[in-house]
């Protein structure tokens, strides 16, 4: 009985270690995902601002071309 009990305890300790490791890894991945989502949002915003600037420049170019004609 004692040998089986010790084997069970050792198995449970390994499972607890694995659970702790996976929990820490999960937390790190959640933080990384949060950071990447924030970076993505910032890049989308910058892209949208650049698109508006390009559209404005193209509008001014069209206006200049019409004024030259």
């Amino acid at each position: 009985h004692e040998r089986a009990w010790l084997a069970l305890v050792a198995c449970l300790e390994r499972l607890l270690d694995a659970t702790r490791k996976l929990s820490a890894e999960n937390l790190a991945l959640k933080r990384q995902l949060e950071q990447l989502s924030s970076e993505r949002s910032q890049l989308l915003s910058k892209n949208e601002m650049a698109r508006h600037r390009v559209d404005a420049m193209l509008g001014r170019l069209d206006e200049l071309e019409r004024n030259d004609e």
Side-chain angles (χ1 to χ4, degrees), residues 2 11-13 15 18-19 23-24 31 36 40 49-50 57:
E2 188 174 337
C11 183
L12 288 173
E13 287 175 351
L15 285 172
T19 300
S23 181
R31 288 180 177 157
L36 291 172
R40 180 182 184 274
M49 289 189 314
M57 284 188 263

Side-chain angles (χ1 to χ4, degrees), residues 2 9 13 20 26-27 35 41 44 51-52 56 58 64:
E2 188 174 337
V9 168
E13 287 175 351
R20 287 186 198 105
N26 189 36
L27 181 60
Q35 179 184 356
S41 178
L44 287 172
R51 180 178 292 122
H52 287 299
L58 290 174
L64 287 173

Side-chain angles (χ1 to χ4, degrees), residues 17-58:
D17 287 343
T19 300
R20 287 186 198 105
K21 179 183 174 193
L22 289 172
S23 181
E25 184 179 340
N26 189 36
L27 181 60
L29 288 171
K30 284 181 179 180
R31 288 180 177 157
Q32 183 181 16
L33 177 61
E34 187 177 308
Q35 179 184 356
L36 291 172
S37 294
S38 176
E39 287 177 21
R40 180 182 184 274
S41 178
Q42 291 172 1
L43 289 172
L44 287 172
S45 178
K46 286 181 181 181
N47 189 31
E48 189 65 24
M49 289 189 314
R51 180 178 292 122
H52 287 299
R53 286 195 302 262
V54 168
D55 286 343
M57 284 188 263
L58 290 174

